[in-house]
Amino acid sequence: MTVDHGGGTNTEPELSDSLKTYGAVLKALREESGLTQEEFALRVRYSAAYVAKIEQGKRFPPADLPARAEEVLGPVALKVLGAAARSLSRRAGLASWFRQWAGIEEEAISLYAYECRAVPGLLQPEGYIRAVFDRRLPPVAEEQIEREVAARLDRQGLISTMQNTAFSFVVEQSILERRMGGSDVTRQVIDHLLETGTRRNVEIQIMPTRQEDHCGIDGQMYLAETPAHQWIGYTEGQRSSTLISAPKDVSVLLQRYGKLRSQALDCRATVKLLEQMRGAL
């Protein structure tokens, strides 16, 4: 199961019983201690919205949550949540990687993305999202498409709500030239990129199709800086995805992303190119 970022074949998985159980246990422990979600979130150093989604079973809990909860709820919480987390790691499979990354995104102070396959999910207008899902194989029911479109649009709220987060996107020009969904959809995409790029905390750069110096040959990548200034990477393939946390591996991605930014058009040149491409539609 792939992530929500690009043209992947699926969005966030359905809630699993194990995740809902973990969330219910966390909620019971919190309430037994007489804490609201906001009070608990402050003490464990996560956002209240993130804690709420964990309790609802909508987010895979971070690995250090049991240890943080022990400081607030006591040693029993460490034992109970630790046991529940071990069960999750055995049962959640690849879907857990997406849930973990989604949680990391919501807490990040920097988010970087390089895409060579599709417009990054956080930048996709509704028409493009539907074009991607309508062409997915094997096909799915209309009801599922509607749920997944709504989920992706909801996640895009990160850009407007996380105003202190630095967003950087490097997108291949060839993605737009493909005209996924037709000229009208491509026009929506370009307009959306131009509008989103005006935000103070967002940088969008186009990688020109003809670029002899290009270090993104190994494919797309995502990077996030946590509030503790730890960098985490994320990559995906056909029905698979990988969270990357080893410092030496993340360092490689950071070096490559830095080089990609220098090889892509700067923000002003990107705006000029997007306007030219829109005029040619």
Side-chain angles (χ1 to χ4, degrees):
M1 189 169 297
T2 56
V3 301
D4 174 48
H5 283 288
T9 58
N10 225 326
T11 56
E12 189 169 353
E14 296 293 327
L15 300 183
S16 70
D17 289 339
S18 58
L19 278 173
K20 288 189 286 187
T21 298
Y22 185 101
V25 169
L26 176 62
K27 180 179 179 180
L29 289 168
R30 173 181 60 75
E31 291 181 341
E32 182 66 22
S33 295
L35 298 173
T36 65
Q37 281 185 346
E38 291 75 12
E39 292 169 338
F40 176 73
L42 182 63
R43 298 188 187 187
V44 295
R45 304 179 298 283
Y46 289 121
S47 71
Y50 188 26
V51 169
K53 288 181 179 180
I54 294 173
E55 291 189 354
Q56 294 164 8
K58 294 181 178 180
R59 286 289 183 267
F60 196 91
D64 61 350
L65 180 56
R68 295 193 189 191
E70 181 187 21
E71 301 173 7
V72 181
L73 306 177
V76 173
L78 176 64
K79 293 181 180 180
V80 174
L81 293 176
R86 287 191 292 274
S87 176
L88 283 175
S89 66
R90 290 196 298 270
R91 297 175 61 184
L94 295 177
S96 69
W97 293 334
F98 171 67
R99 287 189 171 110
Q100 285 179 302
W101 179 254
I104 290 167
E105 272 190 332
E106 292 176 356
E107 297 293 307
I109 60 175
S110 300
L111 275 172
Y112 297 166
Y114 164 65
E115 267 293 358
C116 53
R117 312 154 310 152
V119 176
L122 291 177
L123 298 178
Q124 295 176 2
E126 183 172 347
Y128 187 91
I129 297 172
R130 292 187 180 279
V132 170
F133 288 156
D134 284 344
R135 290 157 177 77
R136 182 171 58 195
L137 293 174
V140 299
E142 188 67 28
E143 293 79 6
Q144 182 175 343
I145 290 178
E146 292 301 321
R147 288 197 301 271
E148 294 176 347
V149 169
R152 185 166 296 188
L153 290 172
D154 179 67
R155 292 192 60 244
Q156 291 180 358
L158 292 177
I159 290 182
S160 60
T161 59
M162 297 170 60
Q163 298 182 19
N164 293 325
T165 296
F167 292 89
S168 171
F169 301 92
V170 177
V171 182
E172 290 287 341
Q173 179 180 349
S174 58
I175 292 173
L176 302 177
E177 291 179 338
R178 185 176 297 127
R179 299 190 182 184
M180 168 72 79
S183 296
D184 288 343
V185 170
T186 302
R187 188 176 295 108
Q188 293 175 31
V189 171
I190 293 175
D191 288 344
H192 190 59
L193 293 178
L194 289 169
E195 179 183 358
T196 305
T198 63
R199 293 181 176 275
R200 290 192 302 273
N201 61 328
V202 177
E203 290 187 354
I204 298 175
Q205 297 176 253
I206 297 297
M207 177 67 75
T209 300
R210 294 185 179 181
Q211 174 55 277
E212 294 182 2
D213 296 320
H214 192 310
C215 68
I217 195 66
D218 285 343
Q220 54 82 246
M221 70 180 84
Y222 289 84
L223 288 153
E225 182 184 10
T226 72
H229 305 294
Q230 174 190 6
W231 283 92
I232 299 173
Y234 192 92
T235 61
E236 64 171 5
Q238 293 281 344
R239 301 183 65 81
S240 64
S241 50
T242 305
L243 194 68
I244 301 170
S245 58
K248 65 177 182 179
D249 295 327
V250 176
S251 175
V252 171
L253 297 186
L254 282 168
Q255 290 180 53
R256 291 177 181 176
Y257 190 79
K259 191 67 173 179
L260 282 167
R261 291 177 81 172
S262 71
Q263 295 167 339
L265 300 176
D266 64 27
C267 294
R268 291 185 179 180
T270 289
V271 169
K272 183 177 180 180
L273 175 61
L274 289 174
E275 290 174 342
Q276 290 174 345
M277 294 181 71
R278 191 187 191 286
L281 290 173

